[in-house]
Every structure is written in C-alpha cells, then in structure tokens.
C-alpha cells in the first residue's frame, strides 16, 4: 500500500482503535467493512446518516480514530450526509482520517449530491480492472470501479487508476489520498464492499492494507520536543520561515489577481498555482499537531515550514517573471 509523506503516528495496537462506519444499509448487500474490521480485531460503531445529525465534531474527534463512509447508499443517505460534510471535514482537520467509498450508481440507487472534500468529484465510469500504482498489480472484478476522481488537488497521491483494457489510464484515478488540515482524506471509486466480499484474496489484502494505513496515519502528535537540539535554535529558524511564508503568500495573492486580470498566459498561472498549492500542503502539514505559531520550538515542523516558504517563494517568482514577459 502506498503511503503519503512519512509522519509521526501513535503506534498503538489495532484493537485499541475505534472506527465509525456511516451507512444506512449494506453496500451491495454485503457488510464488508464490518467483517474486515472484525478480522483485524478493530472496534467499530455503525451509525446512520440521520443519527450523525445529533453528534458534534468534538464528539467525533474524541470517540473515533477514523470514519468510513460506505459505498452504494440510498438517496436519503446522500441527501442527509451532504449538509454534514462540513462537520466531517472539521473532524479531519483535527488530525483524523475520513475514508470515503464514493462508488455510487449501485444497487441502492443513490447519488452524491455535493462535492467531496477540497471540491473533488467522482465521474461515472465503469472499469473491470483497476491498477494499484504502489506495487504494479491489478484488481479485477465484474466492476472494479464505478468512477474516477476529478479535480483532485495538486498534492494528492494516486493509489489506483482505472485500467479497463489492462493498461493503466492515469487520466482516470480511482483512488487517492490527500491532506486536509492536520488529517487525511482517502477517497475511492472502487467497489470495495462488493469486490472484497466476492472477488478473492487480492481484494481482501488490498482493503486490509488500506484500513491499516489509514488508521496508522490517524493519531495524536508526538510529545513536545526541546526548542534547542545540538546547538540548533529551531525556535528562530521556524519563526523565520513562518514569516517568509506569510509575507510571500500575501504578495502572491495580490500579484495573482493582477496577473489574472491582465491576461497572463494560463500555463504560467497554472504552474504558479501548483507551487502555491504545494506550499499550502507543507504549511498545513507543519500544523498537523496544532497551530504552527504554538509549535515554533518543536523540531518536527522545521522541514515542512521551510518547504512551505521555499515553494511559496517559487510561486511568487513564477508570477513575477510572467509579468515581465
């Protein structure tokens, strides 16, 4: 299973995690998520879309290490879950993982009515083969996936792509991972519940790996690190790069608006926007264990805050060169 960036995680046993499953019915008639969690000795709770309305973000963060939204639900489910996505996104920003099984167009007939976190959408597209990018293997099923993901952020990691002819189609990613605040979004158009229940060991191994990887990411931050280590004043370095990032970001935002209004080449704007998004990813990752300004003395934010400043500077430079044009 491919991992994103290396992170510090809570290394507790699997039986100490607690997972919340959101669904109104079994996807394709199979309680696949529950059976997989049971086999891994992981505690779980099942909650309906209407029951979720009575639970606060704080309660979700306190009680659950990860939330899984099941595939193939009724329209009632999607109509009720849509207005609650903001609450689920806040849960992720607090450092948790949201695993979204976005394969609709199934037996229950429901369709997503809202965009998914960070404005990602799923496009209807059936494939009987999906290629796993991390280990060059292919998952086969009657319908391995019901769609591919569109409008993925630049910092997304592609886990699987559709391969209907046997050749991977990288323009049709079917599973991806990307950050949101201090947490992680895992989203897939794979028919997880159907295929794990009916299509053998490869699917079971794949999904068990997904769950373990997502749980290992979702955890509390490390203990405080001394401000000075081996003579290096991380407090000063982190504060310096923080200021550089914020100041450069302000200049970028002002110049980007001006560049857009003055008809700068779209390729230049796209390249600058990509660097800007990459900078934001590193800045958000620096704050994965709390606000950056409260953690200047901690070693583990140094690389992220430095990369954020450097990528933001590059984004600004691209726009400045484009304006000179």
């Amino acid at each position: 299973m491919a991992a994103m960036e290396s992170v510090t995680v809570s290394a507790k046993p699997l039986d100490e995690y607690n997972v919340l499953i959101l669904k109104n019915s079994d996807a394709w008639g199979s309680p696949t998520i529950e059976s997989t969690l049971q086999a891994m000795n992981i505690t779980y709770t099942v909650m309906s879309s209407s029951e979720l309305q009575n639970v606060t973000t704080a309660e979700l963060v306190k009680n659950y290490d990860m939330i899984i939204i099941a595939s193939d639900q009724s329209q009632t489910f999607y109509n009720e879950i849509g207005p609650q996505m903001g609450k689920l996104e806040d849960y992720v920003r607090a450092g948790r993982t949201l695993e979204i099984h976005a394969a609709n167009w199934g037996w229950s007939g429901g369709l997503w009515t809202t965009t998914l976190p960070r404005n990602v959408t799923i496009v209807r597209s059936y494939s009987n083969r999906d290629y796993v990018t991390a280990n060059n293997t292919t998952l086969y099923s009657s319908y391995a996936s019901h769609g591919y993901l569109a409008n993925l952020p630049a910092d997304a990691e592609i886990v699987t792509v559709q391969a209907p002819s046997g050749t991977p189609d990288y323009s049709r990613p079917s599973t991806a991972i990307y950050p949101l605040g201090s947490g992680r979004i895992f989203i897939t158009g794979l028919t997880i519940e159907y295929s794990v229940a009916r299509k053998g060991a490869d699917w079971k191994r794949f999904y068990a790996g997904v769950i373990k990887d997502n749980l290992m990411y979702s955890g509390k931050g490390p203990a405080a690190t001394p401000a000075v280590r081996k003579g290096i004043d991380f407090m000063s370095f982190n504060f310096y790069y923080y200021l550089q990032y914020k100041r450069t970001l302000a200049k970028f935002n002002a110049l980007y608006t001006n560049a857009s209004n003055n008809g700068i080449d779209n390729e230049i704007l796209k390249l600058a926007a990509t660097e800007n998004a990459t900078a934001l990813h590193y800045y958000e990752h620096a704050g994965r264990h709390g606000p950056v300004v409260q953690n200047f003395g901690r070693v583990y934010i140094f690389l992220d805050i430095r990369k954020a400043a450097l990528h933001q500077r590059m984004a600004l430079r691209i726009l400045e060169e484009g304006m000179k044009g």
Side-chain angles (χ1 to χ4, degrees), residues 5 10 70 73 92 95 98 106-107 113 130 157 163 173 187-188 194 216 222-223 247 249 262 298 309 316 319 324:
E5 190 171 339
S10 55
Q73 296 298 296
V92 177
L98 177 61
W107 293 353
T113 56
D130 280 69
E157 176 195 353
I187 181 169
T188 184
Y194 179 91
M216 291 298 102
R247 290 170 179 171
L249 176 61
N262 283 279
R298 300 193 179 195
L316 178 61
L319 284 184
K324 291 178 183 178

Side-chain angles (χ1 to χ4, degrees), residues 11-325:
K12 59 185 180 181
L14 288 176
D15 61 4
E16 293 184 13
Y17 288 96
N18 195 14
V19 174
L20 176 63
I21 304 169
L22 295 177
K23 67 177 189 177
N24 288 3
S25 61
D26 292 336
W28 293 288
S30 300
T32 298
I33 303 172
E34 294 94 314
S35 60
T36 303
L37 294 174
Q38 287 170 358
M40 299 174 72
N41 203 25
I42 298 170
T43 302
Y44 66 86
T45 300
V46 179
M47 187 180 296
S48 69
S49 53
S50 60
E51 290 171 334
L52 180 64
Q53 294 170 347
N54 300 316
V55 183
T56 66
T57 300
E59 290 171 329
L60 292 173
V61 173
K62 177 182 177 181
N63 295 324
Y64 304 107
D65 298 288
M66 179 168 71
I67 296 175
I68 302 174
I69 300 178
S71 307
D72 181 33
Q73 296 298 296
S74 67
Q75 195 58 53
T76 297
F77 176 88
Y78 294 117
N79 289 345
E80 291 180 344
I81 210 72
Q84 301 185 77
M85 288 303 293
K87 175 165 61 178
L88 296 178
E89 291 178 8
D90 287 341
Y91 165 86
V92 177
R93 291 187 180 95
R96 299 304 193 195
T97 297
L98 177 61
E99 181 179 310
I100 304 174
H101 298 186
N104 41 202
W105 304 291
W107 293 353
S108 295
L111 299 175
W112 278 96
T113 56
T114 59
T115 57
L116 299 162
R118 294 184 65 181
N119 294 316
V120 172
T121 58
I122 183 165
V123 179
R124 187 174 187 173
S125 172
Y126 298 114
S127 176
N128 59 0
R129 294 180 180 85
D130 280 69
Y131 176 78
V132 183
T133 61
N135 57 14
N136 302 320
T137 60
T138 300
L139 296 169
Y140 175 81
S141 183
S142 308
Y143 293 101
S145 60
H146 274 195
Y148 63 87
L149 305 171
N151 199 35
L152 282 169
D155 51 4
E157 176 195 353
I158 306 304
V159 179
T160 66
V161 299
Q162 293 190 324
S165 65
T167 301
D169 184 349
Y170 290 95
S171 70
R172 297 192 171 193
S174 51
T175 306
I177 300 168
Y178 52 87
L180 179 64
S182 300
R184 158 188 277 199
I185 299 291
F186 174 97
I187 181 169
T188 184
L190 296 176
T191 56
I192 294 289
E193 293 86 349
Y194 179 91
S195 298
V196 171
R198 297 170 173 86
K199 296 300 178 179
D202 287 346
W203 279 93
K204 290 180 180 179
R205 280 193 297 268
F206 173 80
Y207 188 48
V210 164
I211 289 177
K212 186 174 182 180
D213 187 58
N214 284 338
L215 278 177
M216 291 298 102
Y217 185 93
S218 185
K220 297 180 180 179
T225 306
V228 178
R229 230 183 229 189
K230 296 182 180 180
I232 300 175
D233 183 358
F234 285 101
M235 175 74 79
S236 297
F237 277 112
N238 289 335
F239 179 65
Y240 169 80
Y241 284 117
Y242 169 82
L243 287 181
Q244 291 298 309
Y245 170 74
K246 287 294 186 179
R247 290 170 179 171
T248 309
L249 176 61
K251 293 179 181 178
F252 173 87
N253 287 337
L255 190 58
Y256 190 88
T257 299
N258 189 25
S260 299
N261 292 338
N262 283 279
I264 295 298
D265 184 77
N266 284 335
E267 288 302 314
I268 293 176
L269 292 176
K270 184 177 180 180
L271 184 59
T274 298
E275 287 292 332
N276 181 62
T278 302
L280 177 60
H281 162 63
Y282 282 117
Y283 183 79
E284 289 181 338
H285 199 256
R288 65 194 182 280
H289 302 308
V292 171
V293 295
Q294 295 179 14
N295 290 295
F296 285 149
R298 300 193 179 195
V299 175
Y300 63 78
I301 76 167
F302 172 73
L303 291 178
D304 285 318
I305 198 67
R306 181 176 180 272
K307 288 179 180 178
L310 294 176
H311 280 283
Q312 197 62 60
R313 185 185 304 169
M314 180 58 69
L316 178 61
R317 184 176 301 167
I318 290 169
L319 284 184
E320 289 174 338
E321 293 298 322
M323 292 289 284
K324 291 178 183 178

